Amino acid sequence: MDELLLRSLTPGVLAVLVRRGADFAAAEDAVQDALVEAVRVWPGDTPRDPKGWLVTVAWRRFLDATRADTSRRRREDRLDEEPAPGPAPAVDDTLQLYFLCAHPSLTPSSAVALTLRAVGGLTTRQIARAYLVPEATMAQRISRAKRTVSGVRFDRPGDVSTVLRVLYLVFNEGYSGDVDLAAEAIRLTRQLAAAIDHPEVAGLLALMLLHHARRASRTGPDGSLVPLAEQDRGRWDTGMIAEGVGILQAALARDRLGEFQAQAAVAALHADAPTAEETDWVQIVEWYDELAGLTDSPVVRLNRAVAVGEADGPRAGLAELAALSDSLPRYTAVAAYLHERAGDLVTAARLYAEAAHKAPTLAERDHLTRQAARLNAERR
């Protein structure tokens, strides 16, 4: 069973059902039933038109559920609307569905969470981690969002900023693991940039391209993480970097700075440095100052502390870190790095080991464990 194929087809199938009049919650349930049926049937008999098959099965599931709650006449009317078997139109509805899920009746945070779950294919745990909230809290938020839009006609699309936030989070999840998910986010952002003349859309696309250009160098042959300073820059995609920088420069020239443009500027400075030692950390700190003013994000301030540690020395970085909450994700790993830079190897080794226990992924845990072991070995 090709799980990636099923994931790629899901948004388009869901969009077809919504356009045909199904409310969002019922359509999502019907699509999930169709996916379960596909997992059962396809290994022995894969259809020639997978999307058409899913649309037909999902629509039938939707009709079955509708029949249970409506009168016989309503039931017969719905049956007349059933699409005939055959190929579904070769239309990419994914981006449209992102806008439909960002419904004006939802708060931006709820719209993002719902879209990530229903269209982006992320788990509730992944979404909760991105929002820095407990999984149970996020599950409740998504449930409330579903109840809010249940029965609402999706004829008023949401705003661009909400869709950008969704695409950004989908890319971040894909970039940390599933490359295909990251590539899909780039594809959709390219579509959005072609359709909308907006500097933040361009900024997000530039940011994605600049990060994705380092994809091949981010992990070793054994799957281990390779920190930015240790990456083989000869493996970076220079064509993608040039495209990202060009898009960013055009966006910045419009003098309508937003958070994605500022993040892309930081990424561009990393990409422009021939070696890690030649990175312009002073400019990076300045861009983090701009970004902190735009977002007031504690994660931005955590990253800024690292940049200050590189620009002004590890003690300065530790002073910035002391002003932040130690509950922030990767706070302990940053503290370990800055203590190592400051020459306090005992504290750094202890913090690396502590950070390994808190790591959100296996790859990060293994990397931090190796860092702790390396320092302990050096002290012997």
Side-chain angles (χ1 to χ4, degrees), residues 59 98 108 153 193 224 312 342 344:
W59 185 254
Y98 272 66
R153 285 199 63 84
S224 59
D312 300 328
D344 186 353

Side-chain angles (χ1 to χ4, degrees), residues 1-325:
M1 171 56 56
D2 191 336
E3 294 182 6
L4 287 178
L5 174 61
L6 285 177
R7 177 186 289 176
S8 68
L9 292 175
T10 298
V13 175
L14 186 55
V16 170
L17 267 65
V18 170
R19 284 204 310 270
R20 291 182 179 276
D23 69 76
F24 187 86
E28 185 184 18
D29 289 342
V31 172
Q32 291 301 319
D33 287 345
L35 293 176
V36 171
E37 185 69 6
V39 171
R40 186 183 70 83
V41 172
W42 285 12
D45 185 21
T46 303
R48 286 180 297 177
D49 176 25
K51 181 178 179 181
W53 188 96
L54 287 170
V55 167
T56 299
V57 173
W59 185 254
R60 285 174 177 162
R61 292 292 188 273
F62 169 71
L63 294 179
D64 288 343
T66 301
R67 281 197 296 267
D69 299 324
T70 58
S71 66
R72 179 180 179 82
R73 183 174 182 79
R74 175 71 169 169
R75 195 162 62 236
E76 292 172 350
D77 290 343
R78 287 288 189 183
L79 281 170
D80 291 339
E81 297 173 12
E82 181 178 341
V91 176
D92 185 351
D93 299 298
T94 309
L95 191 57
Q96 178 191 13
L97 194 57
Y98 272 66
F99 273 94
L100 292 176
C101 288
H103 198 271
S105 63
L106 296 172
T107 63
S109 61
S110 294
V112 170
L114 178 62
T115 313
L116 288 170
R117 184 70 186 92
V119 189
L122 273 62
T123 65
T124 304
R125 177 174 297 179
Q126 288 173 313
I127 302 168
R129 190 173 66 215
Y131 271 87
L132 310 181
V133 299
E135 184 176 354
T137 300
M138 183 52 65
Q140 292 175 354
R141 184 180 298 178
I142 294 172
S143 295
R144 285 196 300 270
K146 287 182 178 179
R147 288 196 297 271
T148 299
V149 300
S150 180
V152 173
R153 285 199 63 84
F154 283 79
D155 53 0
R156 292 186 299 151
D159 64 2
V160 174
S161 61
T162 301
V163 173
L164 289 179
R165 177 64 51 189
V166 175
L167 290 169
Y168 174 64
L169 292 174
V170 169
F171 176 81
N172 277 349
E173 287 299 327
Y175 190 62
S176 64
D178 187 341
V179 170
D180 287 328
L181 192 58
E184 171 69 358
I186 291 174
R187 183 184 71 83
L188 292 172
T189 307
R190 283 191 188 279
Q191 286 187 6
L192 188 58
I196 299 177
D197 183 20
H198 192 298
E200 272 294 82
V201 177
L204 178 58
L205 179 57
L207 176 63
M208 289 179 174
L209 293 172
L210 290 164
H211 278 310
H212 212 55
R214 297 193 290 109
R215 175 182 66 182
S217 63
R218 292 186 72 250
T219 56
D222 59 352
S224 59
L225 291 181
V226 180
L228 175 61
E230 301 172 18
Q231 289 176 13
D232 179 1
R233 299 183 180 223
R235 300 184 66 195
W236 290 4
D237 188 328
T238 55
M240 193 175 291
I241 290 173
E243 182 186 4
V245 169
I247 292 171
L248 173 62
Q249 289 175 337
L252 291 175
R254 301 177 65 174
D255 198 24
R256 290 168 55 194
L257 184 64
E259 63 175 294
F260 294 123
Q261 295 169 72
Q263 287 190 60
V266 172
L269 287 167
H270 283 299
D272 187 55
T275 65
E277 294 72 23
E278 296 174 85
T279 303
D280 190 342
W281 286 105
V282 173
Q283 273 205 70
I284 288 176
V285 171
E286 292 173 354
W287 277 112
Y288 273 126
D289 288 338
E290 294 279 2
L291 193 53
L294 289 166
T295 67
D296 195 30
S297 164
V299 175
V300 168
R301 297 189 182 280
L302 182 67
N303 291 333
R304 183 184 179 277
V306 176
V308 169
E310 298 289 354
D312 300 328
R315 294 298 177 189
L318 286 168
E320 295 288 335
L321 192 65
L324 303 175
S325 170

Side-chain angles (χ1 to χ4, degrees), residues 335-366:
Y337 173 74
L338 290 173
H339 276 288
E340 180 185 357
R341 288 280 318 282
D344 186 353
L345 303 189
V346 174
T347 300
R350 175 179 58 80
L351 290 172
Y352 275 130
E354 184 181 331
H357 288 292
K358 301 176 181 178
T361 67
L362 180 61
E364 288 185 56
R365 187 192 70 189
D366 290 346

